[in-house]
Amino acid sequence: MTLDLYRQGQLAPSREWVNLNPEERRRRAVAAVAGKDVATLLDLLEAHHVRTHGHVSKETLRKYRLGGRTWLEYAQSHAVKVLHPEVEHADLWVRELEASGKSPASVGVLLAGARALYSALRWAKATTDHPFTDVKPRKDKRRPWDKRQPYPEGDVGKLLAAAPVEMRVLLRLGGIAGLRASEITGLKWGDVDLEGGTLTVRNGKGGKTRRVLLSSSLVADLRELGPQKEEVAVIGRTPEAARGRLRTLCKQQGIPYLGLHALRHTAGTRLVRAGFQLQDVAEHLGHSDVQTARTYGKWADDRLKEHLRGL
């Protein structure tokens, strides 16, 4: 593992944790806990996670930091000893998250961040505790395809008709190209080949790079929007901002907001409905497991629905 990752870009603030001698690292971690210095502890979490996993996307780091922050805020408000919490407190935190209405998937994301925090604290030798080892969110009883609900075609058409060009590009990057939120906002003009009709996703989920074919409608919208200098972001801002813009557009058009990620499910459903094999769908969307694409078939297959309507 090279330390180059810590010497540039967004990771520069974390490099000092790696360069510290073990005793100083421990001292700073313990002092941060004692001083309730959440920002320092989250920097420790980030530095350790990147150190052990290599490249990590901004979105992944954001989620891990959110999980760590949420647990630390709970610990502070409930007088929990952060370095040596009782397992019961870890259980109660998860139950409280569930009671607040968070889905099992959302709770799982926050739990992963809390686990990453304690992995970092153990690396710093500030504790030896594993408070979240046996803590699990409530089992999700929803069927896999119910968690990947796409936007109906009519709703997508209505959104496109009402959207300015930049928003149309966002809608089509998600609903046709199948990009994730962080991939949409991280896309640069230098990664778009309008003549070849492709774009390159860099540092996607798991740090992977993939090439994605573009539709003629997306190429047309991209031409209208740009192109600009290679280093300029096509959409830019943050995934949260992109979600907010889509939420606002849905509200304006009277369309239920299903989330930005639901556009990706729309893309997958369209491909399955068009007759493409699951392997093709998985490659287009960047799934590591072809079985993940299988759930789109449940939304794409309308034969049973049409049959029952006729009875």
Side-chain angles (χ1 to χ4, degrees):
M1 161 72 74
T2 176
L3 298 184
D4 288 345
L5 288 169
Y6 296 91
R7 297 193 176 103
Q8 54 189 320
Q10 69 180 89
L11 301 180
S14 301
R15 69 177 183 271
E16 63 178 295
W17 284 102
V18 177
N19 295 332
L20 293 174
N21 67 64
E23 184 53 38
E24 178 62 14
R25 189 182 300 129
R26 177 184 179 281
R27 187 195 70 75
R28 292 195 187 187
V30 171
V33 172
K36 299 178 181 178
D37 187 347
V38 174
T40 295
L41 290 171
L42 295 182
D43 283 346
L44 170 63
L45 180 161
E46 181 174 317
H48 173 63
H49 195 71
V50 174
R51 183 187 72 88
T52 54
H53 292 82
H55 175 83
V56 183
S57 70
K58 291 181 180 180
E59 183 68 2
T60 297
L61 289 176
R62 183 192 70 81
K63 290 178 179 178
Y64 273 66
R65 290 176 72 98
L66 177 61
R69 179 184 296 278
T70 304
W71 161 251
L72 289 170
E73 290 174 350
Y74 173 89
Q76 182 175 346
S77 63
H78 291 76
V80 175
K81 296 179 180 179
V82 172
L83 294 180
H84 303 290
E86 299 293 338
V87 174
E88 289 78 7
H89 281 302
D91 284 322
L92 288 172
W93 174 58
V94 169
R95 300 290 85 83
E96 185 173 293
L97 292 173
E98 292 170 340
S100 71
K102 294 191 181 300
S103 68
S106 295
V107 173
V109 168
L110 297 176
L111 186 55
R115 287 181 176 135
L117 173 64
Y118 279 87
S119 179
L121 288 170
R122 290 193 299 273
W123 169 57
K125 295 183 171 56
T127 185
T128 58
D129 288 24
H130 293 70
F132 294 98
T133 299
D134 297 320
V135 179
K136 297 179 180 179
R138 184 178 295 119
K139 187 175 180 180
D140 195 341
K141 296 181 180 180
R142 293 179 300 167
R143 298 171 297 182
W145 49 90
D146 288 334
K147 293 183 285 185
R148 292 182 171 85
Q149 184 176 357
Y151 283 96
E153 288 293 339
D155 287 355
V156 174
K158 189 175 180 180
L159 291 173
L160 286 168
V165 62
E166 186 179 73
M167 196 63 198
R168 292 202 307 273
V169 169
L170 189 154
L171 288 166
R172 288 187 164 118
L173 285 175
I176 296 179
L179 270 59
R180 300 176 176 89
S182 59
E183 295 170 349
I184 291 174
T185 57
L187 183 68
K188 304 286 179 56
W189 281 105
D191 297 325
V192 177
D193 179 4
L194 293 177
E195 295 301 323
T198 65
L199 64 79
T200 300
V201 173
R202 303 188 189 280
N203 303 323
K205 190 172 183 179
K208 297 179 180 179
T209 297
R210 72 180 187 278
R211 187 173 67 95
V212 179
L213 297 175
L214 303 179
S215 68
S216 57
S217 59
L218 180 49
V219 169
D221 282 341
L222 285 166
R223 288 190 185 280
E224 182 179 344
L225 181 63
Q228 300 182 42
K229 293 181 179 179
E230 291 187 357
E231 67 275 12
V232 175
V234 175
I235 298 297
R237 303 180 184 89
T238 65
E240 292 77 15
R243 294 185 186 101
R245 295 172 71 189
L246 178 57
R247 185 184 292 108
T248 298
L249 181 61
C250 285
K251 184 177 181 180
Q252 292 173 344
Q253 299 304 311
I255 292 172
Y257 173 69
L258 304 178
L260 181 56
H261 202 72
L263 288 173
R264 181 170 158 84
H265 302 327
T266 299
T269 302
R270 281 171 164 168
L271 292 175
V272 174
R273 186 174 289 147
F276 288 95
Q277 298 298 311
L278 294 181
Q279 183 64 44
D280 297 323
V281 178
E283 290 181 2
H284 181 73
L285 298 178
H287 286 310
S288 57
D289 185 354
V290 69
Q291 295 304 316
T292 305
R294 188 177 296 280
T295 57
Y296 298 124
K298 297 296 182 179
W299 290 104
D301 191 355
D302 294 327
R303 289 175 297 174
L304 177 59
K305 184 189 301 183
E306 294 301 321
H307 172 71
L308 292 175
R309 282 177 178 172
L311 296 179

